[in-house]
Amino acid sequence: MTRFAKGVANLRSSQIRDLMSLATRPGIISFAGGMPGNDLFPLQELDTIYNNLTEKEKQVAMQYGPTCGLPSLLESLAAFLEKKGLKVGDNRLMITTGSLQAINILAHAFVDEGDDIIVENPSFIGAISAFKSYQANIISVPLKSDGIDIEALRQQLDSMPRKPKFLYITPSFHNPAGIVYSKENRKALIELMEGRDIPVIEDDAYSDLYFYEEDKEQLKTIQSMERKDLDVCFTGSFSKIIGPGLRLGWMLVPQHIYEKCELIKQSIDACSPSFTQVIADKFLRTDVIHSYLERVREEYKKRGLAMIECLKANLPSYVTFVEPRGGFYIWLQLPEGTDATEILKKAIDKGVVFVSGVTFDPHETRKNAIRVSYCNTAVDVIQKGIPVVCEAIKEVCGQ
Amino acid sequence: MTRFAKGVANLRSSQIRDLMSLATRPGIISFAGGMPGNDLFPLQELDTIYNNLTEKEKQVAMQYGPTCGLPSLLESLAAFLEKKGLKVGDNRLMITTGSLQAINILAHAFVDEGDDIIVENPSFIGAISAFKSYQANIISVPLKSDGIDIEALRQQLDSMPRKPKFLYITPSFHNPAGIVYSKENRKALIELMEGRDIPVIEDDAYSDLYFYEEDKEQLKTIQSMERKDLDVCFTGSFSKIIGPGLRLGWMLVPQHIYEKCELIKQSIDACSPSFTQVIADKFLRTDVIHSYLERVREEYKKRGLAMIECLKANLPSYVTFVEPRGGFYIWLQLPEGTDATEILKKAIDKGVVFVSGVTFDPHETRKNAIRVSYCNTAVDVIQKGIPVVCEAIKEVCGQ
């Protein structure tokens, strides 16, 4: 076994697995998962797409494809991303099995054992696992309500004896923090990072899931913003905008980084599933993706607002949170010294499950937070479950 | 960039990509790929399966699944493997995106930079890439016509100052060598490996594609054979028995190895595509897999026998090969000192492409061999293309 495999990382992994199996137990109310609602999948659209596939397209679906992805999907996805303002032309696109694989491949391309990297705290658990699997030395910088703490990041960068291999961030509808980087924060970040020869990995799985049209300008990705002398490796996913079961995401990265990533992808699984690539391509080309997105945005907004309202009505005043304006998550900040695991145990006894915040801390020490998701729970169930969470909080932390 | 990414491995990778893009050029006859024939995919069966999926099954298809695979597929696949004699009960099954991912995960679980591993020479290029990506020190042992060279392996093992992390082998219908390990060879291998605390990775993507029913006994996997004190990590794939576009394979490994592999899989892509897992499960549960396998076995046999016949009629006598009895490949052994790349260039000029043997040598030095595949070429095209290959050989090596 490798030094990594011998490590302790599997302890947390099995805890998460237990939690997830609990979360799907009949009768339990789950705010734990980050998966779209089963009831929201575009099944009718899927049927129409499947039944209109030609024999030739089905053959393509069953065959190996190029490592970088099927040419037709690369084309339609490029158009989709360009419409969002992304700079596709100067970069290369690669289809991956979810954006997690894109992040994993980038980690493999950049990290030798013991190399420093910088992430936000809290951060996406999947990315943390990927970075740990290559034995990165993870350094974290706190998040504020309007983005990454620029001053803390500056101090960190200026104090490091050797350059970190990259900075990994999730500027839009952060998982788990639920926040959005403000436009000013994005600009300040670019300014800070320019000319340092440290690439930024911008993870963007949620930016299409905004509640308010007027936020679109703020959600403009860092990859699409003016900058000089700064490599941005952009990752995205079909998981939240069609379905995770397709297992498709992408990276959009500068050519010199792409070449290494293609080689790594080739050694992992040769190519992504052609079958689901053919389906995703049709979603994009028929514009079904846009009507579907309108539909789910509406539904996630209903669920999100219901959860916000319910939390406001039931939370003790010492618990704070940033109201989400899109995405899947709300991050509840508990008083210093609280161990959210105690609250989780009580909540489970009462039939409700969520994820305790320590899961998203790369150093596994910050215990006073809770992530609740509204993506996979109907409004009436949210209204039933959130008071239970609040009750459990009060039982542990006081009224 | 990592030490790996900075390496030279991408040179060969881009050569292969160029070759593959050449291989799909209109008009060119290709014996290069290892993909099933487009004309052979079970499209009618697929339509029936898709159109009989319930709404609930389609929801499962669109959703995340467990890291190890969908429970229903794990069950049906376990039954399929048990029918082939594999020891499922004492082991754990995990669904992966192709058997290449299974091999990659095992490499990540076992190999720290610079660790020794042993492979056959020649060996599967995908596995070589995976092992190199973790910076393994690859040691190779020659293949004979009836299996791995047991004496060479024994000497290798006995002379090593530190234990290799594993032995990677492909006993049935070897890619690229086309051979099958004899029953005696398999037994001798088990005897040699027992008690050494070196796991064997048994890669078995082709054993269902035999030409002759009577060979089934010989094809019995090493995993299913009597042994003591020897861990076997078995990998398999749906790529050659349904379609590579599903991007599904599996590993069947002892529990203590499985735990590490699940953790790694979780950090790569969280889970394999549910969509294609639902489809594969139906292929297994409806027994369509068996009728389909009978059909393709018949067709691959026709193609294989046509290629053998054609080679016998046209090859100069100094070129030798083991007649395949299944699988996809024939391995042509050229005289010592020949550079098959020269032959490949001439063949391409004449409109035929194959893979030169050096590709499958982990040390990239043995140039005097050629791999020709019959899997993706109709009999009449084989009859047209093989004489061209033989002509190119004669032009380079003499009559």
Side-chain angles (χ1 to χ4, degrees), chain A residues 57-191:
Chain A
E57 287 168 334
K58 284 180 198 160
Q59 286 178 351
V60 170
M62 290 294 261
Q63 191 55 280
Y64 289 108
T67 299
C68 56
L70 293 181
S72 181
L73 177 60
L74 288 171
E75 188 185 86
S76 58
L77 180 59
F80 179 80
L81 295 176
E82 270 169 355
K83 208 171 159 186
K84 287 183 62 166
L86 283 140
K87 296 175 202 292
V88 177
D90 315 337
N91 293 275
R92 289 289 297 274
L93 197 51
M94 185 193 295
I95 306 297
T96 53
T97 52
S99 57
L100 178 54
Q101 192 191 44
I103 294 164
N104 187 297
I105 290 172
L106 287 165
H108 198 161
F110 284 114
V111 177
D112 279 315
E113 183 178 349
D115 280 346
D116 295 332
I117 61 158
I118 305 183
V119 306
E120 304 149 320
N121 197 345
S123 187
F124 169 46
I125 169 74
I128 298 174
S129 303
F131 303 152
K132 287 193 174 168
S133 83
Y134 296 107
Q135 301 173 84
N137 178 41
I138 302 181
I139 293 159
S140 72
V141 168
L143 276 182
K144 300 168 88 167
S145 62
D146 67 339
I148 196 163
D149 186 330
I150 296 286
E151 272 321 302
L153 178 58
R154 186 191 313 276
Q155 283 171 25
Q156 181 61 51
L157 288 169
D158 290 347
S159 71
M160 293 174 82
R162 51 181 190 178
K163 262 191 302 197
K165 289 306 185 87
F166 56 75
L167 166 67
Y168 166 78
I169 52 168
T170 309
S172 296
F173 306 132
H174 191 275
N175 174 13
I179 64 147
V180 176
Y181 283 30
S182 69
K183 204 154 184 189
E184 294 65 39
N185 189 271
R186 289 170 200 243
K187 277 186 186 159
L189 178 65
I190 289 174
E191 210 170 291

